[in-house]
């Protein structure tokens, strides 16, 4: 007689991908790849991880795509409610706290998303926030999330944090930060099978949000 076969099921799946955020003096940069996969299967090569929430705030979510779609939809609905009540768009600080509350509310069955929020605050300074799955968050000068985050963080520590350097160089310009973001995702695409295909760069300033796309490895 055949031995009994055990079947497992999980409500969660990791659809991979990598994102990173950098806060500048008067701008913020958010970059993410566009691959959505499960294991060795690529579902689509053109799935954006980034959603623009307001004129000065964007969010990127890695992890489970369906949870990210749901979270972004609810977050945008809450922002519309805020706009109706206060007659203005929420600033990035208010959105950061709102996102934390929404994630913590679902702490017993969390959204399987790892979020990076980027924007420009009420003083015109760049702001980047890093989150875990249940709403613990921190404002940081730069951060990364997703399947290739361990490969990105060392580069950001070296180039932006300038850690363990005896003679730190001048801070990077906005153009250099944008190129650094592209280089980071391109390098991760060489080592991480869940990152690749295409990349998106979002540059947030007091004037608004501008976007650019670039190609990554497709194998």
């Amino acid at each position: 007689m055949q031995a009994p076969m055990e079947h497992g099921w999980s409500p969660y799946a990791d659809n991979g991908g990598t994102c990173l955020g950098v806060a500048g003096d008067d701008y913020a940069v958010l970059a993410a790849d566009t691959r959505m996969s499960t294991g060795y299967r690529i579902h689509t090569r053109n799935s954006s991880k980034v959603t623009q929430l307001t004129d000065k705030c964007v969010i990127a979510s890695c992890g489970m795509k369906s949870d990210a779609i749901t979270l972004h939809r609810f977050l945008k609905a809450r922002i519309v409610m805020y706009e109706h009540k206060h007659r203005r768009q929420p600033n990035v600080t208010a959105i950061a706290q709102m996102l934390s509350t929404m994630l913590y509310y679902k702490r017993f069955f969390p959204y399987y998303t790892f979020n990076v929020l980027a924007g420009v605050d009420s003083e015109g300074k760049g702001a980047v926030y890093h989150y875990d799955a249940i709403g613990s968050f921190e404002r940081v000068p730069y951060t990364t999330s997703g399947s290739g985050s361990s490969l990105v963080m060392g580069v950001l520590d070296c180039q932006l944090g300038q850690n363990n350097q005896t003679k730190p160089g001048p801070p990077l310009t906005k153009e250099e930060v944008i190129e650094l973001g592209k280089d980071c995702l391109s390098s991760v695409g060489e080592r991480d099978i869940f990152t690749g295909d295409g990349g998106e760069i979002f540059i947030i300033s007091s004037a608004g949000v501008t976007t650019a796309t670039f190609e990554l490895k497709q194998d």
Side-chain angles (χ1 to χ4, degrees):
M1 190 173 73
Q2 185 180 2
M5 184 179 297
E6 181 178 346
H7 292 277
W9 178 82
S10 170
Y12 295 123
D14 188 354
N15 296 123
T18 307
C19 65
L20 64 94
V22 179
D25 292 334
D26 58 353
Y27 67 92
V29 174
L30 191 66
D33 75 308
T34 61
R35 176 175 292 179
M36 187 177 78
S37 58
T38 303
Y40 293 112
R41 300 183 299 278
I42 295 176
H43 301 305
T44 177
R45 299 181 186 275
N46 189 29
S47 174
S48 178
K49 296 175 177 61
V50 184
T51 298
Q52 183 174 341
L53 300 174
T54 67
D55 295 340
K56 298 178 183 178
C57 182
V58 296
I59 182 175
S61 299
C62 295
M64 187 173 176
K65 183 61 179 177
S66 59
D67 275 1
I69 292 170
T70 304
L71 176 63
H72 291 191
R73 189 174 71 241
F74 285 158
L75 191 56
K76 290 177 78 172
R78 289 285 297 271
I79 289 171
V80 170
M81 293 164 64
Y82 183 103
E83 291 172 352
H84 289 166
K85 182 175 182 179
H86 298 278
R87 295 286 186 254
R88 62 180 174 84
Q89 288 186 338
N91 61 33
V92 68
T93 309
I95 295 173
Q97 183 60 58
M98 183 191 295
L99 176 58
S100 174
T101 303
M102 292 176 66
L103 292 170
Y104 190 69
Y105 175 77
K106 285 271 291 177
R107 64 192 179 279
F108 297 117
F109 187 21
Y111 293 112
Y112 191 58
T113 58
F114 303 93
N115 307 286
V116 174
L117 189 75
V120 173
D121 64 16
S122 55
E123 298 177 355
K125 296 180 180 178
V128 168
Y129 294 86
H130 180 88
Y131 290 79
D132 71 358
I134 56 171
S136 177
F137 73 108
E138 179 183 12
R139 184 168 177 171
V140 291
Y142 55 87
T143 190
T144 177
S145 189
S147 58
S149 58
S150 59
L151 300 172
V152 175
M153 202 62 194
V155 179
L156 298 183
D157 281 335
C158 175
Q159 296 296 312
L160 297 175
Q162 300 190 2
N163 297 350
N164 299 320
Q165 295 186 19
T166 54
K167 291 184 179 180
L172 270 61
T173 65
K174 182 196 293 188
E175 290 72 23
E176 289 172 332
V177 169
I178 293 169
E179 291 304 313
L180 176 64
K182 293 179 180 179
D183 288 344
C184 283
L185 289 182
S186 179
S187 298
V188 170
E190 299 284 343
R191 291 286 183 179
D192 177 35
I193 63 169
F194 308 114
T195 301
D197 296 320
E200 296 177 310
I201 293 267
F202 288 73
I203 304 102
I204 310 103
S205 66
S206 298
V209 179
T210 56
T211 63
T213 58
F214 57 98
E215 291 185 352
L216 295 174
K217 281 188 66 166
Q218 295 196 353
D219 58 359

